[in-house]
Amino acid sequence: MTLPLPSPVFDANAAGGGLGNLPEWDLTDLYPAPDAPEVARDMAWLEKACADFAAAYEGKLADLDAAGLLACVQEYEAIDVIAGRLMSYAGLRYYQNTMDSERAKFMADAQDRVTTFTTPLVFFSLEFNRLEDAALDRLLAANADLARYKPVFDRMRAMRPHQLSDELERFLHDESVVGASAWNKLFDETMAGLMFKVAGEEEELNLEATLNLLTDTDRAKREAAARSLAEVFDRHIKLFARVHNTLAKEKEIHDRWRKMPSPQHGRHLSNHVEPEVVQALRDAVVAAYPKLSHRYYALKAKWLGLDRLQVWDRNAPLPIEQPKTVDWDTARKTVSDAYAAFSPRLAELAEPFFTQGWIDAGVKPGKAPGAFAHPTVTTVHPYVMLNYLGKPRDVMTLAHELGHGVHQRLAAAQGELLSSTPLTLAETASVFGEMLTFRKLLDGARTPAERKTLLAGKVEDMINTVVRQIAFYDFECKLHAARAEGELTPDDINALWMSVQAESLGPAFDFMDGYETFWAYIPHFVHSPFYVYAYAFGDGLVNALYAAYADGLPEFQEKYFDLLKAGGSKHHKELLAPFGLDLSDPGFWQKGLDMIAGFIDELEAMEA
């Protein structure tokens, strides 16, 4: 596709409407510029290092002693660092402005070159997985430094039953740049380029600004935004259906060749979590819909003075809520103080994000929507992206993404291969950071109305994190199952989407014509199939962790930091044992759901 010319220079701070001086990324810790000699140097090093690695080790892993295998793994890790550094820089620049053709080209070219250079490495995991268990055990027993990598080896070897021939694995690696990643870019560029004409607004708005109107105090504005979203999504629905059909079919082909027992199985393997644990989470949440979302939204309809809620009322502020804009300095202080109240060390770990150009906060044309924390590589530091508009929820998003950033900083000491945390545990620090911020605000509430507003906001966030994400997971399960039977029309996908909406949101809602297309803008379905259950997983886990903290578990802070520092070096059973928690316990998820229900109990009591 032809990309538009770069967007004009845009002053995020001028457009911030009194939000203060919004920070932007300083990416020079990765590379000084796209044409810097360091980029060319690392590209050249990567090409040679990959070729040298293959020449030194391909066909020879079974002959290595413990010291030789350790050297091999460490060389592989060093290659991973440079490849990750290059792609982090290219990706972060691209997400700052996905409509800039130079940035898009730089990322695509970098991805092509890195994929080509690393193709010779494909043999490593395949050959490693052919090592006999007894032989590998002997090597690990002989060398403690090598044994440290056992969690990495365990995750690799979990793929043994699903491994293809060396030739096929090389082909899939090479082909990836024109497969899923190409469709991902098409989706990202299309979404970033969408503009919405909302009744009553002078100018067209991008996706982020239009979604933001769904939380406006003016019901007419919320409705106008929802209808504009529906109109634009419907206009592009054939393209979005094509993206989902293609990606789901590609996944079905790969899964069939790899003999995966279900579309979700690959995600469970990468998350290092047992399928039955995820199923227990899903079943517990679905069973709790009536006492959570159904009950809460019935309360909300009453607060809003409505017999029925429309979809544009779901995230509406309460009538008693005083509209307010939180400037950047206030948001920073709120989160930093909440972190410091838990532990000064937590606030210290978060501080460089504010002072060193590690956050990009402003809403800008072409900038990717949403928010994320990207760990880059363990030799640099994470970067946080926000689209900060000064809403109270934006403060919680800052607390969330900073939690990720702190987690990534602490885990970096594990090294590149061991630092990465499975998605199921990756949400721990982020959701915990939100909980700390919420509890600090709740403790400081001066009036019953302020407490009610805070509680309602937290319940809505938890419903969005738990109920909505499990509904999304069910939608994905249905989508992939249906696609396995044949091509899906937009109407087919729309029907699957609506099949989970009424069930999860409850009888208080009516659904406008057009809402059936709202699956189209959710990036997780495109970028990371079945990612979404990790949010519910993280919320349930953090609720249980916070209960242990509130109950005064001895040395909780140190145990918490140890959990974060472990990164991906331990299984969830080992990580959570110091807190007396076990995810395989059937009653585990009920603890977290009971916390949400308890907040709703308090809100109901306020009505008595």
Side-chain angles (χ1 to χ4, degrees):
M1 64 184 290
T2 304
L3 292 167
L5 293 170
S7 300
V9 174
F10 180 83
D11 186 344
N13 296 319
L19 296 177
N21 189 31
L22 297 176
E24 295 188 351
W25 280 335
D26 177 359
L27 298 179
T28 56
D29 286 344
L30 289 166
Y31 292 102
D35 57 356
E38 292 88 345
V39 174
R41 176 201 68 198
D42 282 358
M43 279 290 186
W45 181 92
L46 183 67
E47 182 176 23
K48 184 176 188 302
C50 292
D52 289 350
F53 183 88
Y57 295 112
E58 189 166 8
K60 302 169 188 173
L61 290 191
D63 301 326
L64 296 175
D65 60 13
L69 185 57
L70 175 63
C72 171
V73 170
Q74 289 173 334
E75 285 181 42
Y76 186 92
E77 189 167 36
I79 289 170
D80 214 29
V81 168
I82 297 303
R85 188 181 194 123
L86 287 162
M87 287 314 304
S88 292
Y89 179 67
L92 291 173
R93 283 187 77 246
Y94 171 71
Y95 282 120
Q96 280 185 300
N97 188 351
T98 61
M99 303 306 292
D100 182 334
S101 56
E102 183 277 322
R103 291 172 190 243
K105 174 177 166 52
F106 181 80
M107 188 176 85
D109 288 347
Q111 193 165 35
D112 283 349
R113 296 182 72 191
V114 168
T115 301
T116 299
F117 297 162
T118 55
T119 295
L121 305 183
V122 171
F123 83 89
F124 176 69
S125 61
L126 305 176
E127 197 172 316
F128 188 93
N129 282 350
R130 287 196 288 267
L131 296 177
E132 294 293 333
D133 288 339
L136 181 58
D137 288 344
R138 283 194 298 272
L139 294 177
L140 296 179
N143 190 305
D145 290 334
L146 181 65
R148 200 175 72 83
Y149 290 95
K150 186 176 185 300
V152 179
F153 302 153
D154 288 346
R155 284 194 284 274
M156 285 170 57
R157 289 167 84 80
M159 280 296 294
R160 287 167 89 184
H162 312 292
Q163 199 165 285
L164 302 176
S165 70
D166 292 13
E167 189 175 36
L168 264 177
E169 293 287 359
R170 283 195 180 89
F171 168 75
L172 290 176
H173 179 85
D174 252 356
E175 182 257 357
S176 64
V177 293
V178 292
S181 67
W183 290 95
N184 286 181
K185 284 202 281 281
L186 174 62
F187 173 84
D188 290 339
E189 289 161 7
T190 302
M191 274 298 160
L194 294 184
M195 298 301 290
F196 301 82
K197 181 62 181 167
V198 180
E201 297 295 312
E202 291 183 10
E203 297 180 356
E204 286 191 320
L205 304 175
N206 65 8
L207 176 63
E208 197 73 36
T210 309
L211 290 170
N212 186 55
L213 287 177
L214 295 178
T215 62
D216 200 274
T217 54
D218 185 339
R219 193 170 191 236
K221 276 190 179 181
R222 298 197 305 269
E223 179 179 356
R227 295 198 182 282
S228 180
L229 288 165
E231 188 272 324
V232 174
F233 293 158
D234 185 64
R235 202 187 314 146
H236 295 83
I237 202 67
K238 288 184 178 178
L239 171 61
F240 296 131
R242 171 59 45 225
V243 170
H244 282 68
N245 266 293
T246 304
L247 289 173
K249 183 61 179 178
E250 182 189 57
K251 188 175 190 314
E252 185 273 325
I253 293 168
H254 289 190
D255 286 350
R256 177 160 34 89
W257 277 77
R258 293 190 182 282
K259 296 180 171 58
M260 292 284 183
S262 72
Q264 306 90 332
H265 195 73
R267 177 63 65 197
H268 301 334
L269 285 177
S270 67
N271 283 343
H272 209 44
V273 66
E274 299 77 14
E276 56 271 21
V277 171
V278 178
Q279 190 63 39
L281 164 65
R282 181 264 171 202
D283 291 347
V285 173
V286 171
Y289 285 168
K291 73 172 185 179
L292 300 182
S293 48
H294 297 189
R295 189 161 60 117
Y296 174 75
Y297 289 127
L299 262 181
K300 186 160 190 176
K302 182 178 174 183
W303 294 334
L304 295 176
L306 300 170
D307 292 328
R308 308 281 300 159
L309 292 177
Q310 301 293 331
V311 292
W312 54 80
D313 298 316
R314 189 170 61 82
N315 289 319
L318 304 190
I320 60 169
E321 191 172 339
Q322 295 300 312
K324 66 175 181 179
T325 299
V326 184
D327 65 63
W328 178 252
D329 287 344
T330 302
R332 172 181 173 177
K333 185 176 189 313
T334 300
V335 176
S336 296
D337 287 354
Y339 276 30
F342 173 77
S343 166
R345 185 181 175 199
L346 195 64
E348 289 166 11
L349 286 162
E351 183 65 14
F353 286 88
F354 295 106
T355 59
Q356 303 297 318
W358 298 4
I359 299 177
D360 196 299
V363 177
K364 293 168 275 192
K367 183 177 176 179
F372 62 74
H374 178 56
T376 71
V377 288
T378 53
T379 53
V380 187
H381 57 75
Y383 284 90
V384 164
M385 193 194 83
L386 306 170
N387 277 275
Y388 191 81
L389 290 161
K391 296 276 186 180
R393 272 197 176 92
D394 292 344
V395 180
M396 301 307 287
T397 301
L398 171 61
H400 181 102
E401 300 304 340
L402 273 181
H404 278 307
V406 167
H407 194 172
Q408 291 158 356
R409 288 195 72 195
L410 286 167
Q414 294 289 345
E416 199 66 23
L417 295 181
L418 283 162
S419 64
S420 181
T421 309
L423 290 178
T424 41
L425 295 171
E427 294 298 328
T428 305
S430 55
V431 180
F432 198 84
E434 281 190 74
M435 183 65 82
L436 290 173
T437 304
F438 164 70
R439 291 288 186 173
K440 178 105 176 136
L441 291 170
L442 192 67
D443 290 344
R446 294 183 295 275
T447 65
E450 189 176 347
R451 183 175 180 86
K452 180 177 177 179
T453 298
L454 285 166
L455 276 172
K458 184 59 177 173
V459 168
E460 291 198 9
D461 287 344
M462 292 171 115
I463 287 173
N464 285 336
T465 302
V466 178
V467 170
R468 290 283 284 168
Q469 301 303 325
I470 290 300
F472 287 175
Y473 176 66
D474 277 356
F475 165 72
E476 284 192 276
C477 292
K478 291 183 175 188
L479 175 77
H480 285 263
R483 182 62 182 91
E485 301 300 317
E487 177 86 5
L488 300 175
T489 67
D491 285 345
D492 292 335
I493 303 177
N494 291 348
L496 295 175
W497 173 255
M498 293 308 296
S499 74
V500 302
Q501 295 305 307
E503 179 190 22
S504 60
L505 295 179
F509 276 93
D510 287 331
F511 298 96
M512 70 170 190
D513 288 342
Y515 184 67
E516 65 274 8
T517 64
F518 274 46
W519 54 268
Y521 80 92
I522 298 170
H524 299 84
F525 301 157
V526 174
H527 290 290
S528 309
F530 305 106
Y531 179 111
V532 289
Y533 74 73
Y535 289 111
F537 201 107
D539 196 272
L541 173 54
V542 165
N543 289 345
L545 273 177
Y546 195 87
Y549 170 55
D551 289 344
L553 180 73
E555 300 176 345
F556 181 92
Q557 280 87 340
E558 281 308 306
K559 290 174 181 176
Y560 179 71
F561 282 120
D562 286 345
L563 182 153
L564 301 188
K565 285 189 287 189
S569 68
K570 295 179 180 178
H571 187 265
H572 61 73
K573 278 187 176 290
E574 189 180 357
L575 278 174
L576 297 175
F579 303 93
L581 301 174
D582 181 1
L583 298 184
S584 61
D585 177 358
F588 174 84
W589 300 112
Q590 203 56 52
K591 296 177 186 176
L593 298 173
D594 286 347
M595 180 181 282
I596 306 173
F599 289 154
I600 301 174
D601 289 343
E602 185 173 347
L603 287 167
E604 284 183 334
M606 290 178 175
E607 299 299 301

